[in-house]
Amino acid sequence: MWERGLGPGQHQQRPHQTAPLRGCAIHERPWEGSARPKPWQYRVTAAIPVLDTPDLLEVVIDILRLQTMRPFIIVVDTGSTPEHLSRIESLRSSDVEVHSLRLNGVRHPSDFPAMAMDLAFAVCRTRFLFATHADCFLRKRTLLSEMVELCESTSPVVGYELSPRKHKDWKGMVGHTCTMVDMASMDEIGAGWSLRRLARRYGVEAYHPDPRRPNWPDTELLLNYLLRENGITPHLIGHEENHIRNRDDNIDHCRSLTSGLLYNDTYYQTALGWAEQAMEEARSRIEEWRNETSPRESTGRTAVRNGRAVSEPAEPPSPLASSPEQ
């Protein structure tokens, strides 16, 4: 462990730095950064688009860190205000990357999450990627592990069915609230989320919102059409409805909070009430799960973030994928 830089106390002596490292000889592989373990040594990457909701994001990250198969975490900010972005940026650590889309404008509101998910696909360095939201709180501690097992045994895409849409082909499609994908399969079919690519495939020159095309284009459509074209049927583990708090054994999703924040203050206030209750319940789960933590899972360090102590283990408790050298 000492030779790998993972001996007792070593991670405290080597603070996390964003790659590539400076002042290193090439044999030290500065492009690999100083994080321990490396992003590609996890089995799963969790991708979270976010906008102006750092309070929710902090809780979602805490829950993900306590999964029995702990993921590497990618946060993609999609245009938060400077003060919110500052808080989101402060969540960077050895197991959390924060990326930021600072765009001057897009053609369609769904461009923001679609571009965020395309970025997540591009920077994913693990075999599996878990797509989720900053307003979706996991309720089962073994959920990621179970979804990976289903990806390996049943279908390379496992998740929740897309909530009802006005286009007729939405049934059987997966959303990105709670979906696990095998990235090897996604790479083979050239999977992606881009609304631009989607529009061009269907000869739509300008894909701005149009009441004659309700819910089209949409964030998840390109991915799902490519799955169908390549004979991949997602394995559905749940269903959601629009404009309600979707709560089951797996997730507690305060649906459409972000769109309410942007476009409908009345609905946003309702969704915010759901989110506050969901966060309170999630914090209780976090405390309960921490008390259940095994010695291996509790071997990390404690950092102070926004005035409160949070656990940042030096090594994930989940099984690690083999590195390229092994």
Side-chain angles (χ1 to χ4, degrees):
M1 290 181 68
W2 273 92
E3 289 174 355
R4 293 168 57 206
L6 296 174
Q10 281 186 294
H11 59 280
Q12 295 174 348
Q13 298 165 16
R14 298 184 62 183
H16 166 64
Q17 293 177 285
T18 302
L21 303 178
R22 274 63 167 181
C24 294
I26 194 167
H27 72 268
E28 296 179 276
R29 302 188 180 205
W31 56 87
E32 290 191 357
S34 61
R36 293 289 188 275
K38 302 300 184 188
W40 53 89
Q41 291 178 309
Y42 296 74
R43 292 208 73 200
V44 180
T45 295
I48 315 169
V50 64
L51 180 74
D52 288 350
T53 53
D55 291 335
L56 278 68
L57 180 62
E58 288 176 0
V59 176
V60 167
I61 288 175
D62 282 346
I63 289 177
L64 286 168
R65 281 176 164 160
L66 287 165
Q67 282 285 297
T68 56
M69 183 174 285
R70 177 171 170 170
F72 186 71
I73 300 169
I74 292 173
V75 174
V76 184
D77 179 79
T78 58
S80 293
T81 65
E83 65 176 295
H84 286 137
L85 179 60
S86 177
R87 286 187 58 192
I88 292 168
E89 290 271 6
S90 74
L91 298 174
R92 288 182 186 275
S93 69
S94 61
D95 65 336
V96 177
E97 285 181 353
V98 178
H99 303 272
S100 184
L101 299 176
R102 312 303 287 173
L103 303 170
N104 284 3
V106 296
R107 288 190 170 192
H108 195 285
S110 291
D111 267 323
F112 292 107
M115 290 175 177
M117 289 307 304
D118 260 344
L119 175 59
F121 267 31
V123 302
C124 181
R125 281 140 287 171
T126 58
R127 177 64 184 261
F128 300 97
L129 181 139
F130 176 67
T132 189
H133 286 182
D135 57 8
C136 183
F137 307 92
L138 304 190
R139 302 188 71 232
K140 180 187 286 189
R141 195 175 185 188
T142 58
L143 183 61
L144 296 194
S145 176
E146 292 173 10
M147 293 179 77
V148 164
E149 289 179 10
L150 286 169
C151 268
E152 293 178 317
S153 65
T154 307
S155 170
V157 179
V158 175
Y160 274 64
E161 187 175 44
L162 193 65
S163 61
R165 302 300 158 102
K166 293 181 179 178
H167 51 86
K168 296 179 180 179
D169 53 2
W170 68 270
K171 291 290 291 182
M173 291 185 172
V174 286
H176 64 290
T177 295
C178 179
T179 293
M180 185 77 70
V181 299
D182 177 350
M183 287 304 301
S185 298
M186 299 304 97
D187 291 343
E188 286 174 7
I189 68 171
W193 303 77
S194 168
L195 269 63
R196 185 199 67 241
R197 282 178 58 197
L198 173 69
R200 285 183 177 167
R201 287 172 66 90
Y202 288 89
V204 178
E205 186 89 16
Y207 61 86
H208 55 271
D210 188 334
R212 295 170 297 179
R213 300 191 306 259
N215 294 131
W216 204 104
D218 207 348
T219 308
E220 299 92 347
L221 287 182
L222 178 63
L223 174 69
N224 281 284
Y225 288 155
L226 289 170
L227 294 178
R228 289 179 177 179
E229 288 176 16
N230 287 275
I232 297 175
T233 301
H235 178 74
L236 302 178
I237 62 170
H239 308 271
E240 289 198 286
E241 298 295 330
N242 293 311
H243 306 117
I244 66 170
R245 179 182 177 186
N246 289 268
R247 191 170 182 269
D248 61 18
D249 290 341
N250 296 323
I251 62 173
D252 188 350
H253 183 201
C254 304
R255 190 167 183 86
S256 304
L257 185 143
T258 300
S259 61
L261 169 69
L262 294 173
Y263 313 118
N264 188 332
D265 186 65
T266 300
Y267 178 78
Y268 172 69
Q269 295 304 321
T270 299
L272 187 61
W274 299 336
E276 288 171 351
Q277 184 178 358
M279 283 193 291
E280 182 178 349
E281 294 174 7
R283 290 188 181 108
S284 295
R285 286 197 300 282
I286 288 167
E287 189 65 29
E288 178 183 340
W289 291 355
R290 281 179 176 158
N291 290 336
E292 296 172 355
T293 300
S294 67
R296 174 178 168 82
E297 291 173 308
S298 61
T299 57
R301 62 191 177 91
T302 299
V304 176
R305 182 180 298 138
N306 295 325
R308 63 190 183 92
V310 296
S311 174
E312 292 187 343
E315 186 173 5
S318 57
L320 299 181
S322 297
S323 65
E325 306 87 68
Q326 292 176 325

